[in-house]
Amino acid sequence: ATRTKSADVERADSGIGQMAARKWRNRASETLSSLQAWEAHRPCTDCGERDLPVETDLQNCNQRRADLCEKCRKRRTERKESVLEFVNTEASYGEDLRIIKEEFYLPMQAAGLLSQEQLLGIFSNIQELIDLNESFLEILQEEIDQAFDQGDDDLMTVCIGEVFLEFVNMLPAFQTYCLQQSSSVNMLNALEKEKELLRIFLNVSQNDNTALRRMNLRSFLIAPLQRVTKYPLLLSRIIKATTEYHPDHSSLREAKSRIESHLEHINMKTKQEGNTWTLRSFRQDSKKKREVINIEMRETALKTVGWLREETRFVMEGSLQLAQPPDGQWVKKGSKTLKFQNMQVLLLVNMKRVSESSLESAEPGPVKDAVLVLIRDKNNGKFHLLREPLRLSNCIVSTDPDCDDTFELIEIRREAFVFRDSDRARTHHWFRQIRRYSRELGSWKKRRNALPNIMISTPQTRP
């Protein structure tokens, strides 16, 4: 038998010659070396830089943190400390509120040291602040516990900004308390001089009650003022330690801007009432000035409709141009014949949250009522309503293809209004939002058919 050469066997078995096999092995070796080099200098998962140190198996006991550069490790540590500081100081603030109620308010009420009116004058809306703090702290603690349960030791999944914006309704509660602080302290000073039993109670409490840490009532009453002015500082620390790619970064900045605007608004109110004290002031800019104006308008709108703050949602707000057509023939001539005036418009919806103690669902509860509040531009430092709010349950909202830069709102058996924004896209957004809530209230089709002269029912555009 003819002896088969080894090269022939190799070609028959693998189909790869010696030279090709050698090149393939070299290329595989180069690829492996390249992968090892990339692994040794893999990019940081936070910033994308490749300055990670080469780590041995003993050093790489925590793979997740080994994927971070030294700068991002420090940043994550700082962020975790800032988040925990925010939550822990919120808990300490809540403890001070509990002391105000349980160690001062309730004993003074039970002993009859002060009347209910006097207690309200001194302690203001302290119960509202307690309720808000308990709900806020509960959600914050749930976020922390959930992060640890999921193995997130750096608390990167905790979104303080989103939670803060969800509880932004606590800021008006702080405003109510702060604006009454001066009169509360004056009343307490006067009553302490007048009532000997009250003076004895406060002295004994400060000296003998260990829960008070030898602090007097005035020191505890100032706790809400100190807390509301500390929020921007705490949020700034978290923002500084949060990369711009983090999903909570924009919410943190918005939360900081909102609280600073409310502090400026509180300072403005104190000056208007003739008080000399002010909260910690912040640098004013055009954005914060606009937000202060928005706060004033929301207060005016809430006072007008008489709804509870926690059940009110401000869907849209801003400047619109408004006209009232004299008859139903204006469509033929176009909107150029109408005389428009600038108006501040707020779309308010009254609803209950699906879950009172959870942020899991972003779905709103059933709509109970929806209104449009029309406010004239600010004059002499105050806002004035154009008329009573327009209840969308009694209105029809319509548009016309020939006048797509406007939309019409007709109040049954009363008035008709034509609205437009300087931006056409925003005009359409206003129209869609108002029509949506109008249709959710009452029988929209029945109201529509009951109107004889409606823009979309004109002969030119009727289908």
Side-chain angles (χ1 to χ4, degrees), residues 309-356:
R309 186 186 301 116
E310 57 272 18
E311 294 183 1
T312 302
R313 179 182 170 195
F314 292 88
V315 180
M316 289 191 70
E317 56 188 34
S319 177
L320 281 179
Q321 294 180 343
L322 176 146
Q324 292 184 264
D327 52 48
Q329 302 300 318
W330 68 271
V331 178
K332 297 180 180 179
K333 301 178 182 180
S335 59
K336 295 181 179 180
T337 61
L338 296 176
K339 294 182 180 180
F340 287 90
Q341 58 179 322
N342 293 325
M343 194 70 53
Q344 298 295 331
V345 182
L346 294 89
L347 173 57
L348 283 70
V349 176
N350 185 238
M351 58 175 59
K352 290 187 177 180
R353 288 182 51 181
V354 174
S355 175
E356 293 290 338

Side-chain angles (χ1 to χ4, degrees), residues 84-97 129 132-134 136-137 140 164 170 174 227 231 234:
L84 291 177
E85 181 186 13
F86 189 99
V87 178
N88 292 335
T89 52
E90 186 70 22
S92 300
Y93 160 66
E95 180 63 20
D96 287 342
L97 295 181
L129 295 177
L132 288 169
N133 168 261
E134 290 178 351
F136 187 38
L137 187 60
L140 290 174
F164 193 96
M170 66 182 176
F174 276 109
R227 185 58 185 171
Y231 280 136
L234 295 172

Side-chain angles (χ1 to χ4, degrees), residues 437-454:
Y437 290 103
S438 174
R439 285 178 168 177
E440 289 187 14
L441 298 169
S443 176
W444 187 83
K445 290 184 178 180
K446 185 177 180 180
R447 284 181 278 136
R448 180 184 182 279
N449 295 332
L451 292 172
N453 297 319
I454 185 169

Side-chain angles (χ1 to χ4, degrees), residues 319 342-344 375-380 382-384:
S319 177
N342 293 325
M343 194 70 53
Q344 298 295 331
I375 301 178
R376 296 183 185 274
D377 282 342
K378 198 169 184 179
N379 185 20
N380 297 327
K382 295 183 179 180
F383 289 107
H384 298 281

Side-chain angles (χ1 to χ4, degrees), residues 170-412:
M170 66 182 176
L171 298 181
F174 276 109
Q175 175 179 314
T176 300
Y177 187 90
C178 292
L179 293 179
Q180 295 184 11
Q181 178 64 17
S182 180
S183 60
S184 297
V185 172
N186 292 336
M187 178 179 290
L188 177 61
N189 293 336
L191 290 173
E192 191 174 4
K193 294 178 180 179
E194 177 184 341
K195 296 179 178 292
E196 183 178 1
L197 290 179
L198 175 62
R199 185 167 61 253
I200 294 174
F201 168 78
L202 294 177
N203 290 334
V204 171
S205 298
Q206 179 179 354
N207 296 324
D208 298 342
N209 192 340
T210 56
L212 304 186
R213 310 187 298 274
R214 300 189 69 83
M215 294 169 57
N216 57 29
L217 175 58
R218 294 173 184 79
S219 300
F220 285 100
L221 289 177
I222 204 173
L225 280 73
Q226 295 173 333
R227 185 58 185 171
V228 73
T229 54
K230 196 172 184 181
Y231 280 136
L233 304 178
L234 295 172
L235 291 172
S236 295
R237 293 176 188 174
I238 301 177
I239 293 172
K240 184 178 180 181
T242 302
T243 176
E244 59 180 339
Y245 305 108
H246 193 280
D248 196 39
H249 190 268
S250 60
S251 297
L252 285 167
R253 288 192 172 277
E254 183 181 355
K256 180 174 177 289
S257 178
R258 294 285 289 273
I259 180 62
E260 290 178 352
S261 298
H262 269 272
L263 292 177
E264 292 294 345
H265 184 248
I266 292 173
N267 285 337
M268 182 189 68
K269 286 288 188 181
T270 57
K271 292 178 181 179
Q272 291 178 353
E273 296 181 5
N275 295 324
T276 57
W277 66 272
T278 58
L279 298 175
R280 182 181 183 272
S281 60
F282 296 86
R283 182 177 60 86
Q284 278 274 25
D285 56 33
S286 58
K287 182 178 179 180
K288 289 185 177 58
K289 289 180 180 178
R290 290 195 300 270
E291 180 61 25
V292 169
I293 293 175
N294 291 340
I295 294 171
E296 291 184 75
M297 289 195 300
R298 293 174 203 142
E299 287 186 346
T300 302
L302 271 178
K303 184 178 180 180
T304 302
V305 298
W307 295 347
L308 295 177
R309 186 186 301 116
E310 57 272 18
E311 294 183 1
T312 302
R313 179 182 170 195
F314 292 88
V315 180
M316 289 191 70
E317 56 188 34
S319 177
L320 281 179
Q321 294 180 343
L322 176 146
Q324 292 184 264
D327 52 48
Q329 302 300 318
W330 68 271
V331 178
K332 297 180 180 179
K333 301 178 182 180
S335 59
K336 295 181 179 180
T337 61
L338 296 176
K339 294 182 180 180
F340 287 90
Q341 58 179 322
N342 293 325
M343 194 70 53
Q344 298 295 331
V345 182
L346 294 89
L347 173 57
L348 283 70
V349 176
N350 185 238
M351 58 175 59
K352 290 187 177 180
R353 288 182 51 181
V354 174
S355 175
E356 293 290 338
S357 60
S358 173
L359 301 179
E360 296 178 359
S361 175
E363 292 295 325
V367 177
K368 297 164 57 179
D369 201 356
V371 299
L372 273 185
V373 178
L374 309 179
I375 301 178
R376 296 183 185 274
D377 282 342
K378 198 169 184 179
N379 185 20
N380 297 327
K382 295 183 179 180
F383 289 107
H384 298 281
L385 295 176
L386 174 68
R387 63 186 307 284
E388 62 184 21
L390 291 166
R391 300 200 173 273
L392 297 188
S393 58
N394 298 327
C395 296
I396 295 297
V397 190
S398 55
T399 187
D400 188 282
D402 296 332
C403 301
D404 62 348
D405 62 336
T406 62
F407 64 92
E408 186 177 31
L409 184 145
I410 300 180
E411 192 177 16
I412 297 179

